[in-house]
Amino acid sequence: MMLNQLKELQIKFNEKIVNSSSRGDIEELKKEFIGKNSPLNSILQELRNADAQTRQEAGKLANEIKTQILNTINELQEKFDQDDLKLQLSSEKKDISLPGMNLSFGSKHPLNLVIEELSEIFSELGFEMVDGTEFEEDEYNFQRLNLPEGHPARDMQDTFYVNEKQVLRTHCTNMSSRILSKLSQTGSEIKQHGSVSFGNVYRRDVDDATHSHQFMQIDAFLIGPKISFANLKWILQYLCKRLFGDQVNIRMRPSYFPFTEPSAEVDLSCFKCLGQGCKLCKNSGWIEILGSGMFNENVLRLNGINPQKNTALAFGVGVERIAMLKYGISNIRDFYENDIRFLNQFHFFGN
Ligand SMILES: [Zn+2]
């Protein structure tokens, strides 16, 4: 009786398995024929109470059938796995006629390229490079630079005040003030000292194509008993030729900065049209490039230096301005958005 039941089960399974074409079908069969509630399982349960002979005969057959079902199901599952793999491989087949993928190399940021170039020039000239604090005392950012409280240039509109006494530095000249103070504290006579400070500065500006609330500056000064305006002019001319080529010239126009007297705005002869007039120089043949001057006597005094014994030339360069000119960049925001397409243009400069 049991043996017949078992044989019928086996036949039924063999019929059904032939028509199974998916993993789902197989799962169903597995459940139906060898699952917890399957007839085969009930038979195996019943066998426990059957007589010894039935147990031996039917038990043997039941186990054989169970093993056969399991093996068949496993084989089919394996076949499905193989089919899937083949399908996947054929869809991922390599097309060797496709163009190769370029390896991507990093490139230096254009602002860093300019800073590196300027650093090189300045160190050749004997200047010391200093990296300063961006979070600065009002005293060093303003007061010691001849910008007392209430001075229009330190208007709340322009400065990020952290609290009443501290600001985000508005220029790198804060470091000039710190270094001058330090020099004066040594007590010994100053022979000659040149420093360059560089880094981020902050102004409360509305960001547009040519303005950014954060930008980079390089600020330099050279102090000594015999430093003159002629030295300033020589250094600036040398610097511009190094940056933009031997053909360029500079001109200096009287200007006003609170920490220098006299002060001069420096223009560069247009390196693109060589003075003929073009879009870059707005047809004037000249490009505004930096601010300069001799440190105001008050600045020297406020930092403990005797203006009768020492004079100092000073100038500040906007790093973005130089980079925009050198690399033909028209939007200052490009420097800060870190768009990889923009940065990748600088592969060939200095790498
Ligand atoms: Zn021009």
Side-chain angles (χ1 to χ4, degrees):
M1 179 66 188
M2 256 183 203
L3 290 174
N4 284 342
Q5 264 182 307
L6 284 167
K7 280 172 188 162
E8 272 170 36
L9 270 178
Q10 190 173 25
I11 293 166
K12 212 168 148 196
F13 174 78
N14 287 341
E15 276 169 7
K16 285 202 169 182
I17 195 81
V18 179
N19 297 317
S20 309
S21 57
S22 70
R23 287 174 198 277
D25 289 349
I26 289 185
E27 284 305 311
E28 290 277 303
L29 284 185
K30 204 171 173 182
K31 215 158 134 193
E32 188 183 334
F33 287 90
I34 51 173
K36 213 173 168 190
N37 300 317
S38 63
L40 184 62
N41 210 30
S42 321
I43 292 173
L44 285 167
Q45 299 286 332
E46 274 175 49
L47 273 173
R48 289 182 192 170
N49 306 317
D51 58 78
Q53 201 191 347
T54 314
R55 226 169 33 219
Q56 201 186 11
E57 284 176 12
K60 194 173 167 233
L61 183 61
N63 280 319
E64 276 172 12
I65 292 174
K66 197 179 177 180
T67 312
Q68 186 233 328
I69 291 175
L70 259 177
N71 286 346
T72 312
I73 283 174
N74 286 342
E75 272 169 34
L76 256 180
Q77 265 171 343
E78 213 165 284
K79 183 183 170 291
F80 284 140
D81 286 347
Q82 292 284 343
D83 288 350
D84 284 354
L85 185 66
K86 271 185 205 157
L87 197 71
Q88 198 189 348
L89 285 174
S90 68
S91 72
E92 286 175 358
K93 205 170 160 190
K94 294 268 184 299
D95 180 352
I96 55 163
S97 67
L98 285 173
M101 206 161 60
N102 285 327
L103 281 177
S104 146
F105 292 97
S107 52
K108 284 180 183 166
H109 194 280
L111 296 179
N112 288 334
L113 289 173
V114 170
I115 287 180
E116 278 178 18
E117 192 176 354
L118 286 167
S119 309
E120 201 181 303
I121 300 170
F122 282 120
S123 40
E124 281 173 30
L125 290 171
F127 284 78
E128 202 174 276
M129 300 293 292
V130 288
D131 191 0
T133 169
E134 293 177 23
F135 184 54
E136 185 56 287
E137 306 291 322
D138 182 285
E139 183 186 350
Y140 290 99
N141 194 77
F142 291 128
Q143 293 169 39
R144 286 173 182 255
L145 291 170
N146 205 28
L147 282 154
E149 271 180 45
H151 195 286
R154 51 183 288 176
D155 195 290
M156 282 291 285
Q157 290 301 312
D158 302 318
T159 309
F160 285 109
Y161 276 88
V162 180
N163 55 46
E164 270 188 19
K165 288 188 167 173
Q166 288 166 315
V167 299
L168 290 182
R169 68 173 172 191
T170 57
H171 43 211
C172 284
T173 327
N174 69 321
M175 289 312 293
S176 308
S177 161
R178 283 187 175 271
I179 296 162
L180 286 174
S181 304
K182 240 185 180 165
L183 283 172
S184 69
Q185 279 159 19
T186 60
S188 49
E189 296 287 319
I190 299 168
K191 278 183 189 160
Q192 189 167 299
H193 178 89
S195 269
V196 178
S197 73
F198 62 97
N200 291 323
V201 302
Y202 303 86
R203 305 267 174 97
R204 289 175 59 166
D205 218 336
V206 178
D207 292 2
D208 62 23
T210 50
H211 295 86
S212 169
H213 64 281
Q214 177 201 316
F215 51 101
M216 291 191 100
Q217 255 192 358
I218 287 204
D219 237 76
F221 76 88
L222 178 66
I223 189 168
K226 285 178 181 168
I227 301 297
S228 71
F229 201 86
N231 297 128
L232 176 66
K233 193 177 176 190
W234 184 90
I235 287 177
L236 293 175
Q237 196 139 25
Y238 179 77
L239 180 69
C240 289
K241 282 182 188 291
R242 282 286 298 267
L243 284 172
F244 295 100
D246 253 347
Q247 75 282 9
V248 299
N249 277 310
I250 61 162
R251 75 174 181 193
M252 299 176 93
R253 288 179 287 114
S255 185
Y256 168 79
F257 301 111
F259 31 85
T260 47
E261 177 62 40
S263 302
E265 199 85 54
V266 179
D267 295 337
L268 178 74
S269 64
C270 183
F271 52 86
K272 207 169 180 185
C273 64
L274 301 176
Q276 299 300 301
C278 70
K279 205 175 149 198
L280 182 68
C281 58
K282 295 178 189 129
N283 284 318
S284 68
W286 295 95
I287 299 165
E288 265 187 46
I289 193 153
L290 57 89
S292 67
M294 301 299 291
F295 264 143
N296 191 307
E297 287 189 6
N298 278 338
V299 171
L300 296 179
R301 244 180 255 120
L302 286 164
N303 290 290
I305 308 266
N306 182 350
Q308 306 304 320
K309 289 187 176 171
N310 286 290
T311 46
L313 63 83
F315 55 94
V317 188
V319 178
E320 285 83 355
R321 177 97 180 115
I322 303 286
M324 285 168 97
L325 289 171
K326 261 186 97 83
Y327 303 124
I329 297 159
S330 54
N331 194 332
I332 198 167
R333 285 171 292 203
D334 286 342
F335 292 123
Y336 299 108
E337 284 168 357
N338 287 331
D339 184 332
I340 204 77
R341 288 163 300 183
F342 168 74
L343 295 174
N344 276 343
Q345 298 171 74
F346 302 94
H347 271 316
F348 301 104
F349 299 102
N351 281 307

